[in-house]
Amino acid sequence: MQKLRETDSYLSGQELSEALGISRTAVWKIVGKLKQEGYPIEAVTNKGYRLLSVEGRDLFNQEELDRAMHTVWVGKPLIYKEETGSTNTDLFKLSEEGASQGTIEVTSKQTAGKGRRGRTWISPPDVNVYMSILLKPAIRPDTAPMLTLVMAMAVYEACEELYGDAKTGANQGVDRKSEQNAAGGPAQEEAREPDDALRFGIKWPNDIVVSAEGGPYRKICGILTEMRLEEMEIRDIVIGIGLNVNQTEFPEEIRETAGSLRLALGEVVNRAELTAAVWKHFEEDYAIFVKEQSLEPLRERYEKGLVNRGRKVRVLDPVAPFEGTAMGINSQGELVVRLEDGSADRTVGTGEVSVRGVMGYV
């Protein structure tokens, strides 16, 4: 593939054979496999092979990931598998074999993906991104749950960087609404965000959501952090991510709350580019967090994406559920909820309960 990328003209089978040190039959088989992976390769008799434009194509493999990654230690190495059981499980096994911090595994299909509280993560093939990172941080075990929020922030920032200025294509211009003022005067126009703008957000603590055309927020990413201890110290941590990228159909039980980047944008998304952007942001945010072992230096940036902030929420505590207004997070990543009766604010830990919007998922 590198040889085809390096030229705009045709390369004959003989030229490729000599350059790669393989037979022309082997060249033909490799070109056929590349075509199956989605590369637009033109083959012309007596001229050879030529790579056409790959813009707008979702090419997702080891080579494309390696080309897209621009990190210092995250993803060194990055392992791509077309299919696996669970990237989290794989990385724990690799850790036992001596794999270093920063090792990443990425796949297009999981057959045994894991969600929170023992749930199964539904993983359709060839449309989404499932990936995990191995970490061995020198931090206190009680601070480890905050890494889930650090990861969520990195995914949010990557989506904002790549697609935050995108439009859904449904409408153009600024939408406006008329309202009667309190004194019964003439209607006043109040500017809003364009209905065709995409809005990304974090649903506390770690769900990434997107709203398109002014519609409800839908979940496009889930994150699972697993930790192993040894004599009360962290042995290793694996953070797994499931990103709904180019999926267009969902099972009935999650159809009302799940979404994907493709459905929000209205076009195919380059998964390799998105993967690289996520890890670039994570590397930067992780360094800040580990230095302080606190979310305080990242809190303002996290809250910028927190869609729960300022909204009514229902805390589904199995002992004593309650409602209030989400005010933001504290330095430990706990959600601060202000109660309507004026009593002291309550804090909700990430591993304790679920939080839902009073009027919906968010």
Side-chain angles (χ1 to χ4, degrees):
M1 177 50 65
Q2 186 62 33
K3 293 295 181 183
L4 291 173
R5 286 186 184 276
E6 291 172 351
T7 180
D8 293 329
S9 59
Y10 292 92
L11 288 175
S12 70
Q14 186 61 37
E15 288 175 311
L16 289 169
S17 172
E18 293 173 357
L20 299 174
I22 58 177
S23 68
R24 293 187 63 174
T25 300
V27 169
W28 178 78
K29 289 181 178 179
I30 291 173
V31 170
K33 185 176 187 301
L34 290 171
K35 285 183 176 180
Q36 288 181 342
E37 292 179 0
Y39 288 98
I41 298 175
E42 183 181 51
V44 178
T45 305
N46 297 325
K47 284 188 175 183
Y49 305 102
R50 181 168 68 110
L51 179 65
L52 305 178
S53 173
V54 297
E55 186 174 349
R57 290 178 178 263
D58 176 34
L59 301 169
F60 198 59
N61 53 41
Q62 185 74 56
E63 180 177 350
E64 294 300 322
L65 287 164
D66 289 342
R67 282 171 53 83
M69 290 287 288
H70 297 287
T71 51
V72 177
W73 61 271
V74 165
K76 306 297 174 70
L78 184 150
I79 303 162
Y80 172 77
K81 291 184 176 180
E82 290 186 5
E83 177 181 334
T84 192
S86 161
T87 55
N88 271 29
T89 300
D90 289 351
L91 281 189
F92 276 128
K93 291 179 180 177
L94 288 173
S95 179
E96 292 169 359
E97 296 168 5
S100 60
Q101 168 162 285
T103 300
I104 289 173
E105 183 173 286
V106 184
T107 186
S108 285
K109 180 182 179 182
Q110 287 191 134
T111 57
K114 295 184 286 186
R116 294 183 68 202
R117 299 186 177 90
R119 300 187 186 102
T120 299
W121 182 268
I122 298 171
S123 308
D126 302 323
V127 288
N128 297 331
V129 176
Y130 314 106
M131 54 187 177
S132 301
I133 185 170
L134 173 64
L135 300 171
K136 300 180 180 181
I139 62 175
R140 302 187 312 275
D142 64 297
T143 66
M146 289 184 262
L147 284 170
T148 306
L149 280 72
V150 176
M151 189 74 254
M153 193 172 80
V155 177
Y156 164 74
E157 290 173 335
C159 290
E160 277 287 311
E161 176 191 345
L162 296 177
Y163 321 114
D165 293 330
K167 305 293 182 182
T168 64
N171 300 299
Q172 299 293 329
V174 176
D175 191 43
R176 298 182 180 276
K177 63 180 180 180
S178 298
E179 293 181 345
Q180 286 293 107
N181 63 23
Q188 297 179 340
E189 289 191 336
E190 183 177 336
R192 299 190 304 178
E193 274 193 78
D195 278 346
D196 59 344
L198 288 183
R199 299 176 182 86
F200 291 98
I202 305 169
K203 176 189 172 293
W204 183 89
N206 60 354
D207 286 350
I208 307 304
V209 295
V210 64
S211 167
E213 302 180 9
Y217 280 102
R218 295 183 181 275
K219 179 178 177 177
I220 60 170
C221 177
I223 299 169
L224 175 66
T225 299
E226 296 182 288
M227 174 176 64
R228 297 193 299 189
L229 298 176
E230 196 169 81
E231 296 181 355
M232 299 310 296
E233 292 188 355
I234 294 174
R235 177 184 178 185
D236 46 25
I237 294 173
V238 170
I239 306 178
I241 310 164
L243 258 166
N244 296 341
V245 185
N246 289 318
Q247 188 171 351
T248 56
E249 296 290 337
F250 294 91
E252 186 175 353
E253 61 267 26
I254 61 172
R255 198 167 292 162
E256 293 300 314
T257 56
S260 73
L261 283 167
R262 180 173 180 176
L263 289 175
L265 285 163
E267 59 186 37
V268 173
V269 172
N270 185 309
R271 287 180 289 164
E273 179 185 48
L274 173 59
T275 297
V278 168
W279 295 121
K280 180 192 73 172
H281 283 285
F282 179 78
E283 185 174 75
E284 297 168 355
D285 298 338
Y286 177 83
I288 295 171
F289 168 76
V290 169
K291 181 180 179 181
E292 301 296 331
Q293 296 197 39
S294 165
L295 284 174
E296 189 57 39
L298 298 170
R299 186 164 62 88
E300 185 176 341
R301 286 164 53 193
Y302 177 90
E303 288 184 338
K304 180 182 178 183
L306 185 61
V307 294
N308 306 99
R309 193 178 186 189
R311 291 175 178 245
K312 299 286 186 182
V313 294
R314 178 178 293 113
V315 180
L316 305 179
D317 188 317
V319 177
F322 63 93
E323 294 183 3
T325 301
M327 306 305 295
I329 63 169
N330 60 20
S331 60
Q332 287 76 50
E334 298 170 317
L335 186 68
V336 179
V337 180
R338 181 154 297 168
L339 305 184
E340 296 180 354
D341 60 9
S343 58
D345 292 349
R346 298 273 297 272
T347 58
V348 183
T350 57
E352 297 171 2
V353 296
S354 294
V355 173
R356 292 287 186 271
V358 170
M359 300 301 292
Y361 176 64
V362 171

